[in-house]
Amino acid sequence: MPPRALPAVVSSVFNLTSLLQSLPAASRNHAFTKCSTCLFSTTAPLDAKRAKKRKVRKHKHIDPYRVAQARQRKSANLARQKVLEEERKLALGDPIRSRPTPFVNSLRARGPLQTLKGDHLNYFLKKDDVDKSLEYSRWLTEPLPQESPVPGHAEEFQKKIQEHAASHENASKALLAIADLENSSSKDRLRINIQRCIEEFGRHNTDSTIPPKPQSLHAQGSSTVKRRVGSDTGSPEVQIAIMTAKINVLADNLHHNDKNNKRGLRLLVHKRQKLMAYLRRQDRGGPRWQNVVDKLGLNDAMWKGEISLP
């Protein structure tokens, strides 16, 4: 079979040379000439445009009276800011020392002893135990009457009884003077203050006077009641009171270069801050929180924000 002949496509092909020859001479010469800007680098016109945008601002006339007014307003605002900051600090209170309350004043190392003398003594002694011991010692050392009294010895027996009573009275006074809080050390006072904090804020005593916090709907169905055995020493309010007593002693006896006690004071203050935040969160600002704040004279600066000690 002979090959198939191709159609004639010469007339339909786009001929660029014939098109250019058909143009006028002026446009043809202009099309083949190069632009003057293409002979140089493109950075020159860009730099020229940028230079036009960078207009040098002429310095206007500055009024010295307006400058002085602006400075005066700035200094007044800064002074007002300092005053407001001091007022906020005073409103928050001291992060270390408590407000003066009767219970806080009795916790101090040099506080009044009138409220403590009747119930507390040195060396872990109690008033009732001392009285019983003195009565037992008097009974042991008292002279016994003779079974067959001899005539003339009655007066001698009465004299022995009087001497024994006088010596027992002197011994009792000496023993009570040794056990008196007037002769106690700071460690004895701190130990007694810790016992007082346990008895004052322990839940084994406060559960009967302070109402409990409102329970949630899930906890109302459970009727389990937990009874405490012995004194309460682990509740947050007891720990806050004990730390407050220790902080007061450290703050009253702290010297400028006493770095060891300064570190201990910082640790106690930050531990108390965590316990106070926990108690407020758990009690929701209820009666137990208010009881601790009112009796211990606690401030907002002791648990709010960041505490920085000098």
Side-chain angles (χ1 to χ4, degrees):
M1 183 177 181
R4 191 173 184 180
L6 295 174
V9 293
V10 178
S11 60
S12 63
V13 176
F14 182 77
N15 196 348
L16 182 60
T17 306
S18 60
L19 181 63
L20 289 175
Q21 289 177 358
S22 63
L23 290 174
S27 61
R28 187 170 64 248
N29 295 333
H30 181 71
F32 283 102
T33 57
K34 292 185 178 181
C35 181
S36 61
T37 57
C38 296
L39 301 176
F40 302 97
S41 175
T42 56
T43 58
L46 291 177
D47 291 340
K49 290 182 181 179
R50 290 171 184 170
K52 290 181 181 179
K53 292 182 179 179
R54 296 173 188 168
K55 294 181 180 180
V56 180
R57 298 181 62 181
K58 296 182 180 180
H59 294 286
K60 297 181 180 180
H61 176 67
I62 299 175
D63 189 0
Y65 181 70
R66 294 182 63 184
V67 173
Q69 280 186 336
R71 290 177 180 175
Q72 187 177 5
R73 287 194 298 269
K74 182 178 180 181
S75 61
N77 290 335
L78 291 176
R80 181 58 180 167
Q81 287 178 8
K82 289 182 180 179
V83 172
L84 291 176
E85 186 177 358
E86 293 295 331
E87 290 179 356
R88 292 190 192 99
K89 288 182 180 179
L90 291 176
L92 288 176
D94 191 1
I96 301 176
R97 300 180 183 274
S98 306
R99 289 181 284 105
T101 60
F103 189 76
V104 169
N105 292 333
S106 65
L107 289 177
R108 298 192 179 276
R110 299 177 183 177
L113 298 174
Q114 286 76 14
T115 58
L116 306 179
K117 283 186 175 181
D119 300 330
H120 300 278
L121 296 173
N122 278 339
Y123 309 111
F124 298 93
L125 297 176
K126 295 182 179 179
K127 185 67 175 175
D128 297 337
D129 297 339
V130 172
D131 293 339
K132 290 180 182 179
S133 299
L134 290 175
E135 184 65 24
Y136 183 69
S137 64
R138 186 194 63 79
W139 177 76
L140 284 179
T141 58
E142 186 178 10
L144 298 176
Q146 297 180 358
E147 296 180 358
S148 56
V150 179
H153 289 277
E155 297 178 358
E156 184 178 357
F157 179 71
Q158 292 296 329
K159 186 178 180 180
K160 288 181 179 180
I161 291 178
Q162 292 177 2
E163 291 176 356
H164 174 265
S167 61
H168 179 73
E169 185 178 358
N170 292 334
S172 300
K173 289 181 180 179
L175 183 60
L176 291 175
I178 292 172
D180 193 5
L181 288 179
E182 293 288 348
N183 302 321
S184 62
S185 62
S186 60
K187 290 184 179 181
D188 294 328
R189 290 290 301 272
L190 181 60
R191 175 183 53 80
I192 293 170
N193 288 335
I194 290 173
Q195 292 178 355
R196 292 181 59 226
C197 291
I198 293 172
E199 294 298 327
E200 184 71 24
F201 296 98
R203 295 192 180 182
H204 61 283
N205 292 329
T206 58
D207 281 343
S208 58
T209 57
I210 298 178
K213 66 178 181 180
Q215 296 181 354
S216 61
L217 297 176
H218 299 285
Q220 287 179 359
S222 61
S223 60
T224 58
V225 179
K226 297 181 180 180
R227 295 183 178 180
R228 299 185 180 275
V229 178
S231 58
D232 177 25
T233 59
S235 59
E237 52 265 33
V238 174
Q239 295 296 320
I240 290 170
I242 292 173
M243 288 181 184
T244 302
K246 293 181 179 180
I247 287 170
N248 290 336
V249 173
L250 278 176
D252 292 339
N253 300 313
L254 191 65
H255 299 284
H256 180 67
N257 294 325
D258 196 354
K259 296 182 180 180
N260 190 17
N261 284 333
K262 278 186 179 180
R263 181 179 180 276
L265 182 63
R266 289 192 186 96
L267 291 176
L268 287 175
V269 168
H270 286 91
K271 285 182 181 179
R272 183 176 65 179
Q273 180 191 18
K274 292 180 181 179
L275 285 173
M276 288 180 65
Y278 172 77
L279 179 61
R280 181 177 175 81
R281 185 170 63 252
Q282 292 294 322
D283 198 57
R284 304 182 184 92
R288 197 173 295 278
W289 166 262
Q290 293 296 331
N291 180 45
V292 173
V293 170
D294 294 339
K295 288 187 177 180
L296 294 177
L298 303 178
N299 302 315
D300 290 341
M302 296 179 180
W303 65 277
K304 277 187 177 181
E306 182 179 358
I307 299 177
S308 59
L309 304 181

